[in-house]
Coordinates of all heavy atoms in Angstrom, one line a residue:
M1 N -17.2 -10.8 -11.8 CA -15.8 -10.9 -11.7 C -15.1 -9.6 -11.3 O -14.2 -9.5 -10.6 CB -15.2 -11.4 -13.1 CG -13.8 -11.8 -13.0 SD -13.6 -13.3 -12.0 CE -11.9 -13.6 -12.1
R2 N -15.7 -8.5 -11.9 CA -15.2 -7.2 -11.5 C -15.4 -6.8 -10.1 O -14.6 -6.1 -9.5 CB -15.8 -6.2 -12.5 CG -15.3 -6.3 -13.9 CD -16.0 -5.2 -14.7 NE -15.7 -5.5 -16.1 CZ -14.9 -4.7 -16.9 NH1 -14.3 -3.7 -16.3 NH2 -14.8 -5.0 -18.1
I3 N -16.5 -7.3 -9.5 CA -16.8 -7.0 -8.1 C -15.7 -7.6 -7.2 O -15.3 -7.0 -6.2 CB -18.2 -7.4 -7.7 CG1 -18.6 -6.8 -6.3 CG2 -18.4 -8.9 -7.6 CD1 -18.9 -5.3 -6.4
I4 N -15.2 -8.8 -7.6 CA -14.2 -9.4 -6.8 C -12.9 -8.6 -6.9 O -12.2 -8.3 -5.8 CB -13.9 -10.8 -7.2 CG1 -15.2 -11.7 -7.0 CG2 -12.7 -11.5 -6.6 CD1 -15.1 -13.1 -7.6
A5 N -12.6 -8.1 -8.1 CA -11.4 -7.2 -8.2 C -11.5 -6.0 -7.4 O -10.5 -5.5 -6.8 CB -11.2 -6.9 -9.7
V6 N -12.7 -5.4 -7.4 CA -12.9 -4.1 -6.6 C -12.7 -4.4 -5.1 O -12.1 -3.6 -4.4 CB -14.3 -3.5 -6.9 CG1 -14.6 -2.4 -6.0 CG2 -14.3 -3.0 -8.4
L7 N -13.3 -5.5 -4.7 CA -13.1 -5.9 -3.3 C -11.7 -6.1 -2.9 O -11.2 -5.8 -1.8 CB -14.0 -7.1 -2.9 CG -15.5 -6.8 -2.8 CD1 -16.3 -8.1 -2.6 CD2 -15.8 -5.8 -1.8
I8 N -10.9 -6.8 -3.8 CA -9.5 -7.1 -3.6 C -8.7 -5.8 -3.4 O -7.8 -5.7 -2.7 CB -9.0 -8.0 -4.7 CG1 -9.5 -9.4 -4.5 CG2 -7.4 -8.0 -4.7 CD1 -9.1 -10.3 -5.7
L9 N -9.2 -4.7 -4.1 CA -8.5 -3.4 -4.0 C -9.0 -2.5 -2.9 O -8.2 -1.7 -2.4 CB -8.6 -2.7 -5.4 CG -7.8 -3.3 -6.5 CD1 -8.1 -2.6 -7.8 CD2 -6.3 -3.4 -6.2
V10 N -10.2 -2.7 -2.5 CA -10.8 -1.8 -1.5 C -10.2 -2.2 -0.1 O -9.9 -1.3 0.7 CB -12.3 -1.9 -1.5 CG1 -12.9 -1.3 -0.2 CG2 -12.9 -1.2 -2.7
V11 N -10.1 -3.4 0.2 CA -9.7 -3.8 1.5 C -8.2 -3.3 1.8 O -8.0 -2.7 2.9 CB -9.8 -5.4 1.7 CG1 -9.2 -5.8 3.0 CG2 -11.3 -5.8 1.7
P12 N -7.3 -3.5 0.9 CA -5.9 -3.0 1.2 C -5.9 -1.4 1.2 O -5.2 -0.8 1.9 CB -5.1 -3.5 0.1 CG -5.8 -4.7 -0.4 CD -7.2 -4.4 -0.2
G13 N -6.8 -0.8 0.4 CA -7.0 0.6 0.4 C -7.4 1.1 1.8 O -6.9 2.2 2.3
V14 N -8.4 0.4 2.4 CA -8.8 0.8 3.7 C -7.7 0.6 4.8 O -7.5 1.5 5.6 CB -10.1 0.0 4.1 CG1 -10.5 0.2 5.5 CG2 -11.3 0.4 3.2
I15 N -7.0 -0.4 4.6 CA -5.8 -0.7 5.5 C -4.8 0.4 5.4 O -4.3 0.9 6.4 CB -5.2 -2.1 5.3 CG1 -6.2 -3.2 5.7 CG2 -3.9 -2.3 6.0 CD1 -5.8 -4.6 5.3
A16 N -4.5 0.8 4.2 CA -3.5 1.9 3.9 C -4.0 3.2 4.5 O -3.3 4.0 5.1 CB -3.2 2.0 2.4
A17 N -5.3 3.5 4.3 CA -5.9 4.7 4.9 C -5.8 4.7 6.4 O -5.6 5.8 7.0 CB -7.3 4.9 4.4
Y18 N -6.1 3.6 7.0 CA -6.0 3.5 8.5 C -4.5 3.7 8.9 O -4.3 4.4 10.0 CB -6.5 2.2 9.0 CG -6.6 2.1 10.5 CD1 -7.4 2.9 11.2 CD2 -5.7 1.2 11.2 CE1 -7.5 2.8 12.6 CE2 -5.8 1.2 12.6 CZ -6.6 2.0 13.3 OH -6.7 1.9 14.6
G19 N -3.6 3.2 8.1 CA -2.2 3.4 8.5 C -1.8 4.9 8.4 O -1.1 5.4 9.2
I20 N -2.4 5.6 7.4 CA -2.1 7.1 7.3 C -2.7 7.8 8.5 O -2.1 8.7 9.0 CB -2.7 7.6 6.0 CG1 -1.9 7.1 4.8 CG2 -2.8 9.1 6.0 CD1 -2.5 7.4 3.4
K21 N -3.9 7.3 8.9 CA -4.5 7.9 10.1 C -3.7 7.8 11.3 O -3.5 8.7 12.1 CB -5.9 7.4 10.3 CG -6.7 8.0 11.5 CD -7.6 6.9 12.1 CE -8.3 7.4 13.3 NZ -7.4 7.7 14.4
L22 N -3.2 6.5 11.5 CA -2.3 6.3 12.7 C -1.1 7.2 12.7 O -0.7 7.7 13.7 CB -1.9 4.8 12.8 CG -3.0 3.8 13.2 CD1 -2.5 2.4 13.1 CD2 -3.6 4.2 14.5
M23 N -0.4 7.3 11.5 CA 0.8 8.1 11.4 C 0.4 9.6 11.7 O 1.2 10.3 12.3 CB 1.4 8.0 10.0 CG 2.1 6.6 9.8 SD 3.1 6.5 8.3 CE 1.9 6.8 7.0
R24 N -0.7 10.1 11.1 CA -1.1 11.5 11.3 C -1.3 11.7 12.8 O -0.9 12.7 13.4 CB -2.3 11.8 10.5 CG -2.8 13.2 10.6 CD -4.2 13.4 10.2 NE -5.1 12.7 11.2 CZ -6.3 12.3 10.9 NH1 -6.8 12.5 9.7 NH2 -7.0 11.7 11.8
D25 N -2.1 10.8 13.5 CA -2.3 10.9 14.9 C -1.0 10.9 15.7 O -0.9 11.7 16.7 CB -3.3 9.8 15.4 CG -4.7 10.0 14.9 OD1 -5.0 11.1 14.3 OD2 -5.5 9.1 15.0
A26 N -0.1 10.1 15.3 CA 1.2 10.1 16.0 C 2.0 11.4 15.9 O 2.6 11.9 16.8 CB 2.0 8.9 15.5
L27 N 1.9 12.0 14.7 CA 2.6 13.3 14.5 C 1.9 14.4 15.3 O 2.6 15.3 15.7 CB 2.5 13.6 13.0 CG 3.5 12.9 12.1 CD1 3.3 13.3 10.6 CD2 4.9 13.1 12.5
F28 N 0.6 14.3 15.5 CA -0.1 15.3 16.3 C -0.2 14.9 17.8 O -1.0 15.5 18.5 CB -1.4 15.7 15.7 CG -1.3 16.4 14.4 CD1 -1.7 15.8 13.2 CD2 -0.8 17.7 14.3 CE1 -1.7 16.5 12.0 CE2 -0.7 18.4 13.1 CZ -1.1 17.8 12.0
N29 N 0.5 13.9 18.1 CA 0.6 13.5 19.5 C -0.7 13.0 20.1 O -1.0 13.3 21.3 CB 1.3 14.6 20.4 CG 2.0 14.0 21.6 OD1 2.3 12.8 21.6 ND2 2.4 14.8 22.5
E30 N -1.5 12.3 19.3 CA -2.8 11.8 19.8 C -2.6 10.2 19.8 O -2.7 9.6 18.8 CB -3.9 12.1 18.8 CG -4.2 13.6 18.8 CD -5.3 14.0 17.9 OE1 -6.1 13.1 17.5 OE2 -5.4 15.2 17.5
L31 N -2.5 9.7 21.0 CA -2.2 8.3 21.2 C -3.5 7.5 21.1 O -4.5 7.9 21.8 CB -1.5 8.0 22.5 CG -1.1 6.6 22.8 CD1 0.0 6.2 21.8 CD2 -0.5 6.5 24.2
T32 N -3.6 6.5 20.3 CA -4.7 5.6 20.3 C -4.6 4.6 21.5 O -3.5 4.2 21.8 CB -4.7 4.8 19.0 OG1 -4.7 5.7 17.9 CG2 -5.9 3.9 18.8
A33 N -5.7 4.2 22.0 CA -5.7 3.5 23.3 C -5.0 2.1 23.1 O -4.5 1.5 24.1 CB -7.1 3.3 23.8
V34 N -5.0 1.6 21.9 CA -4.4 0.2 21.7 C -2.9 0.2 21.9 O -2.3 -0.7 22.3 CB -4.8 -0.3 20.3 CG1 -4.1 -1.6 20.0 CG2 -6.3 -0.3 20.1
F35 N -2.2 1.3 21.5 CA -0.8 1.4 21.5 C -0.2 2.0 22.8 O -0.9 2.8 23.5 CB -0.3 2.3 20.3 CG -0.8 1.7 19.0 CD1 -1.8 2.3 18.3 CD2 -0.1 0.6 18.5 CE1 -2.2 1.8 17.1 CE2 -0.6 0.1 17.3 CZ -1.6 0.6 16.6
L36 N 0.9 1.6 23.2 CA 1.6 2.1 24.4 C 2.5 3.3 24.2 O 2.8 4.0 25.2 CB 2.4 0.9 25.1 CG 1.6 -0.3 25.4 CD1 2.5 -1.4 25.8 CD2 0.5 -0.1 26.4
H37 N 2.9 3.5 23.0 CA 3.9 4.6 22.8 C 3.6 5.2 21.4 O 3.2 4.5 20.5 CB 5.3 4.0 22.8 CG 6.4 5.0 22.8 ND1 6.9 5.5 21.7 CD2 7.0 5.6 23.9 CE1 7.9 6.4 22.0 NE2 7.9 6.5 23.4
I38 N 3.9 6.5 21.3 CA 3.6 7.2 20.0 C 4.5 6.6 18.9 O 4.0 6.5 17.8 CB 3.9 8.7 20.2 CG1 2.9 9.3 21.1 CG2 3.9 9.4 18.9 CD1 1.5 9.5 20.5
G39 N 5.7 6.3 19.2 CA 6.6 5.8 18.2 C 6.1 4.4 17.6 O 6.2 4.2 16.4
L40 N 5.6 3.6 18.5 CA 5.0 2.3 18.1 C 3.8 2.5 17.2 O 3.6 1.8 16.2 CB 4.7 1.5 19.3 CG 4.1 0.1 19.0 CD1 5.1 -0.8 18.3 CD2 3.6 -0.5 20.3
Q41 N 3.0 3.5 17.6 CA 1.8 3.8 16.8 C 2.2 4.2 15.4 O 1.6 3.8 14.4 CB 1.0 4.9 17.4 CG -0.2 5.3 16.7 CD -1.1 6.3 17.4 OE1 -1.1 6.3 18.6 NE2 -1.7 7.2 16.7
F42 N 3.2 5.1 15.3 CA 3.7 5.6 14.0 C 4.3 4.4 13.1 O 4.0 4.3 12.0 CB 4.7 6.7 14.1 CG 5.1 7.3 12.8 CD1 4.4 8.4 12.3 CD2 6.2 6.8 12.1 CE1 4.7 8.9 11.1 CE2 6.6 7.4 10.9 CZ 5.8 8.5 10.4
F43 N 5.0 3.6 13.8 CA 5.7 2.4 13.1 C 4.6 1.5 12.5 O 4.7 1.1 11.4 CB 6.6 1.7 14.0 CG 7.3 0.5 13.4 CD1 8.3 0.8 12.4 CD2 7.0 -0.7 13.7 CE1 8.9 -0.3 11.8 CE2 7.6 -1.8 13.1 CZ 8.6 -1.6 12.2
I44 N 3.6 1.1 13.3 CA 2.5 0.2 12.9 C 1.7 0.9 11.8 O 1.4 0.3 10.8 CB 1.6 -0.1 14.1 CG1 2.4 -0.9 15.1 CG2 0.4 -0.9 13.6 CD1 2.9 -2.3 14.7
G45 N 1.5 2.2 11.9 CA 0.8 2.9 10.8 C 1.6 2.9 9.5 O 1.0 2.7 8.4
F46 N 2.9 3.1 9.6 CA 3.7 3.0 8.4 C 3.7 1.6 7.8 O 3.6 1.5 6.6 CB 5.2 3.4 8.7 CG 6.1 3.4 7.5 CD1 6.0 4.4 6.6 CD2 7.0 2.4 7.3 CE1 6.8 4.4 5.5 CE2 7.8 2.3 6.2 CZ 7.7 3.4 5.3
I47 N 3.8 0.6 8.6 CA 3.7 -0.8 8.1 C 2.4 -1.0 7.4 O 2.4 -1.6 6.3 CB 3.9 -1.8 9.3 CG1 5.4 -1.7 9.8 CG2 3.7 -3.2 8.8 CD1 6.5 -2.0 8.9
L48 N 1.3 -0.6 8.0 CA 0.0 -0.8 7.4 C -0.1 0.0 6.1 O -0.6 -0.6 5.1 CB -1.1 -0.4 8.3 CG -1.4 -1.2 9.6 CD1 -2.4 -0.6 10.5 CD2 -1.8 -2.6 9.1
F49 N 0.4 1.2 6.1 CA 0.4 2.0 4.8 C 1.2 1.3 3.7 O 0.7 1.2 2.6 CB 0.9 3.4 5.1 CG 1.1 4.2 3.9 CD1 0.0 4.7 3.2 CD2 2.4 4.5 3.5 CE1 0.2 5.5 2.0 CE2 2.6 5.3 2.3 CZ 1.5 5.8 1.6
A50 N 2.4 0.9 4.1 CA 3.3 0.3 3.1 C 2.7 -1.0 2.5 O 2.8 -1.3 1.3 CB 4.7 0.1 3.6
A51 N 2.1 -1.8 3.4 CA 1.6 -3.1 3.0 C 0.3 -2.9 2.1 O 0.2 -3.6 1.1 CB 1.2 -3.9 4.2
G52 N -0.5 -1.9 2.4 CA -1.7 -1.7 1.6 C -1.3 -1.2 0.2 O -1.8 -1.7 -0.8
I53 N -0.4 -0.2 0.2 CA 0.0 0.4 -1.1 C 0.8 -0.7 -1.9 O 0.6 -0.8 -3.1 CB 0.8 1.6 -0.9 CG1 0.0 2.7 -0.3 CG2 1.5 2.1 -2.2 CD1 -1.2 3.2 -1.1
G54 N 1.6 -1.5 -1.2 CA 2.4 -2.5 -1.9 C 1.5 -3.6 -2.5 O 1.7 -4.0 -3.6
F55 N 0.4 -3.9 -1.8 CA -0.5 -4.9 -2.3 C -1.3 -4.4 -3.5 O -1.4 -5.1 -4.5 CB -1.5 -5.4 -1.3 CG -2.4 -6.5 -1.7 CD1 -2.0 -7.8 -1.6 CD2 -3.6 -6.2 -2.3 CE1 -2.8 -8.8 -2.0 CE2 -4.5 -7.2 -2.7 CZ -4.1 -8.5 -2.6
I56 N -1.7 -3.2 -3.5 CA -2.4 -2.6 -4.6 C -1.5 -2.5 -5.8 O -1.9 -2.8 -6.9 CB -3.0 -1.2 -4.2 CG1 -4.1 -1.4 -3.2 CG2 -3.5 -0.5 -5.5 CD1 -4.6 -0.1 -2.6
G57 N -0.3 -2.0 -5.6 CA 0.7 -1.9 -6.7 C 1.0 -3.3 -7.3 O 1.1 -3.4 -8.5
G58 N 1.2 -4.3 -6.4 CA 1.5 -5.6 -6.9 C 0.3 -6.2 -7.7 O 0.5 -6.9 -8.7
F59 N -0.9 -5.9 -7.2 CA -2.1 -6.4 -8.0 C -2.2 -5.8 -9.3 O -2.4 -6.5 -10.3 CB -3.3 -6.1 -7.1 CG -4.6 -6.5 -7.8 CD1 -5.0 -7.8 -7.7 CD2 -5.4 -5.7 -8.5 CE1 -6.2 -8.3 -8.2 CE2 -6.5 -6.1 -9.1 CZ -7.0 -7.4 -9.0
I60 N -1.9 -4.5 -9.4 CA -2.0 -3.8 -10.7 C -0.9 -4.3 -11.7 O -1.1 -4.6 -12.9 CB -1.9 -2.3 -10.5 CG1 -3.2 -1.8 -9.9 CG2 -1.7 -1.6 -11.9 CD1 -3.2 -0.4 -9.4
V61 N 0.3 -4.5 -11.2 CA 1.4 -5.0 -12.0 C 1.1 -6.4 -12.5 O 1.3 -6.8 -13.6 CB 2.8 -4.9 -11.3 CG1 3.9 -5.7 -12.0 CG2 3.2 -3.5 -11.1
H62 N 0.6 -7.3 -11.6 CA 0.3 -8.6 -11.9 C -0.8 -8.7 -13.0 O -0.7 -9.4 -14.0 CB -0.2 -9.4 -10.7 CG -0.7 -10.8 -11.0 ND1 0.2 -11.8 -11.4 CD2 -1.9 -11.3 -11.0 CE1 -0.5 -12.9 -11.6 NE2 -1.8 -12.6 -11.4
R63 N -1.8 -7.8 -12.9 CA -2.9 -7.8 -13.9 C -2.4 -7.3 -15.2 O -2.7 -7.9 -16.3 CB -4.0 -6.9 -13.4 CG -5.2 -6.9 -14.3 CD -6.1 -5.7 -14.0 NE -5.3 -4.5 -14.3 CZ -5.8 -3.3 -14.0 NH1 -7.0 -3.1 -13.5 NH2 -5.1 -2.2 -14.3
D64 N -1.5 -6.3 -15.2 CA -1.0 -5.8 -16.5 C 0.0 -6.8 -17.1 O 0.0 -6.9 -18.4 CB -0.2 -4.5 -16.2 CG -1.2 -3.3 -16.0 OD1 -2.4 -3.5 -16.2 OD2 -0.7 -2.2 -15.5
R65 N 0.8 -7.5 -16.3 CA 1.6 -8.5 -16.9 C 0.8 -9.7 -17.5 O 1.2 -10.2 -18.6 CB 2.6 -9.1 -15.9 CG 3.7 -8.1 -15.6 CD 4.7 -8.7 -14.7 NE 5.8 -7.8 -14.3 CZ 6.6 -7.9 -13.3 NH1 6.4 -8.9 -12.4 NH2 7.5 -6.9 -13.1
K66 N -0.3 -10.0 -16.9 CA -1.1 -11.1 -17.3 C -1.8 -10.7 -18.7 O -1.9 -11.5 -19.6 CB -2.2 -11.3 -16.3 CG -3.1 -12.5 -16.6 CD -4.0 -12.7 -15.4 CE -5.3 -13.3 -15.7 NZ -6.2 -13.5 -14.6
R67 N -2.1 -9.4 -18.8 CA -2.7 -8.9 -20.1 C -1.6 -8.5 -21.1 O -2.0 -7.9 -22.1 CB -3.6 -7.7 -19.8 CG -4.8 -8.1 -19.0 CD -5.7 -6.9 -18.8 NE -6.9 -7.2 -18.0 CZ -7.8 -6.4 -17.7 NH1 -7.7 -5.1 -18.0 NH2 -8.8 -6.7 -17.0
Q68 N -0.4 -8.6 -20.7 CA 0.7 -8.2 -21.6 C 0.7 -6.8 -21.9 O 1.0 -6.3 -23.0 CB 0.8 -9.1 -22.8 CG 1.1 -10.6 -22.5 CD 1.1 -11.4 -23.7 OE1 0.7 -11.0 -24.8 NE2 1.5 -12.7 -23.6
A69 N 0.3 -5.9 -20.9 CA 0.3 -4.5 -21.1 C 1.6 -3.8 -20.7 O 1.8 -2.7 -20.9 CB -0.9 -3.9 -20.3
V70 N 2.4 -4.6 -20.0 CA 3.7 -4.0 -19.5 C 4.8 -4.4 -20.6 O 5.0 -5.5 -20.9 CB 4.1 -4.6 -18.2 CG1 5.5 -4.1 -17.7 CG2 3.0 -4.3 -17.1
K71 N 5.5 -3.3 -21.0 CA 6.5 -3.5 -22.0 C 7.8 -3.7 -21.3 O 8.0 -3.2 -20.2 CB 6.6 -2.3 -23.0 CG 5.3 -2.1 -23.8 CD 5.5 -0.9 -24.7 CE 4.2 -0.8 -25.5 NZ 4.2 0.4 -26.3
K72 N 8.7 -4.5 -21.9 CA 10.0 -4.7 -21.4 C 10.8 -3.4 -21.4 O 10.7 -2.7 -22.4 CB 10.8 -5.8 -22.1 CG 10.2 -7.1 -21.9 CD 11.0 -8.2 -22.6 CE 10.3 -9.6 -22.4 NZ 11.1 -10.6 -23.1
Q73 N 11.6 -3.1 -20.4 CA 12.4 -1.9 -20.3 C 13.6 -2.1 -21.1 O 14.3 -3.1 -21.0 CB 12.7 -1.6 -18.9 CG 11.5 -1.2 -18.0 CD 11.9 -0.8 -16.6 OE1 13.0 -1.0 -16.2 NE2 10.9 -0.4 -15.8
I74 N 14.0 -1.1 -21.8 CA 15.3 -1.1 -22.6 C 16.2 -0.2 -21.9 O 16.0 0.9 -21.6 CB 15.0 -0.6 -24.0 CG1 14.0 -1.5 -24.8 CG2 16.4 -0.5 -24.8 CD1 13.6 -1.0 -26.1
H75 N 17.4 -0.8 -21.5 CA 18.4 0.0 -20.8 C 19.2 0.8 -21.7 O 19.7 0.3 -22.7 CB 19.3 -1.0 -20.0 CG 18.5 -1.8 -18.9 ND1 18.0 -1.1 -17.8 CD2 18.1 -3.0 -18.8 CE1 17.4 -2.0 -17.0 NE2 17.4 -3.2 -17.7
A76 N 19.4 2.0 -21.5 CA 20.1 2.9 -22.4 C 21.6 2.7 -22.3 O 22.3 2.9 -23.3 CB 19.9 4.4 -21.9
N77 N 22.1 2.1 -21.2 CA 23.6 1.9 -21.1 C 24.0 0.5 -21.6 O 25.1 0.1 -21.3 CB 24.0 2.1 -19.7 CG 23.9 3.6 -19.3 OD1 23.9 4.5 -20.1 ND2 23.7 3.8 -18.0
K78 N 23.1 -0.2 -22.2 CA 23.4 -1.6 -22.6 C 24.3 -1.5 -23.8 O 24.0 -0.8 -24.8 CB 22.1 -2.3 -22.9 CG 22.3 -3.8 -23.1 CD 20.9 -4.4 -23.2 CE 21.0 -5.9 -23.3 NZ 19.7 -6.5 -23.5
R79 N 25.4 -2.2 -23.8 CA 26.3 -2.2 -24.9 C 26.5 -3.5 -25.6 O 26.5 -4.6 -25.2 CB 27.7 -1.7 -24.5 CG 27.6 -0.3 -24.0 CD 28.9 0.2 -23.6 NE 28.7 1.5 -23.0 CZ 29.7 2.3 -22.6 NH1 30.9 2.0 -22.8 NH2 29.4 3.5 -22.1

């Protein structure tokens, strides 16, 4: 069961890492052959990065809520 959880986290991690690579290459003006414009490459890289990190974060929050490890937030300004 743990190997499935690791695989679920590794794939979005690789996608996020590739997104970082695309953004870095765009900043240093190295165009990948697939993209037609540096701006498009940076945008796709950002989307991949955000999607990968968002999936990993959502997976962790879902797992913690399932195990009841997340406590409810108490608002200080509540009257």
Side-chain angles (χ1 to χ4, degrees):
M1 192 67 175
R2 290 180 190 250
I3 192 76
I4 294 171
V6 168
L7 287 175
I8 288 173
L9 292 176
V10 166
V11 172
V14 170
I15 290 171
Y18 186 66
I20 290 172
K21 181 207 174 299
L22 288 176
M23 289 190 296
R24 184 198 65 203
D25 288 349
L27 285 176
F28 290 114
N29 209 14
E30 295 180 17
L31 185 64
T32 306
V34 178
F35 301 103
L36 302 173
H37 192 269
I38 292 288
L40 179 64
Q41 178 177 329
F42 186 86
F43 181 72
I44 297 296
F46 181 76
I47 295 297
L48 289 175
F49 172 71
I53 295 297
F55 185 86
I56 291 170
F59 180 82
I60 291 171
V61 168
H62 174 71
R63 184 194 65 184
D64 286 347
R65 284 184 183 161
K66 187 173 151 183
R67 294 181 179 181
Q68 297 177 349
V70 176
K71 296 180 181 178
K72 292 183 180 179
Q73 294 180 355
I74 299 173
H75 298 288
N77 295 333
K78 192 173 184 180
R79 293 181 189 188

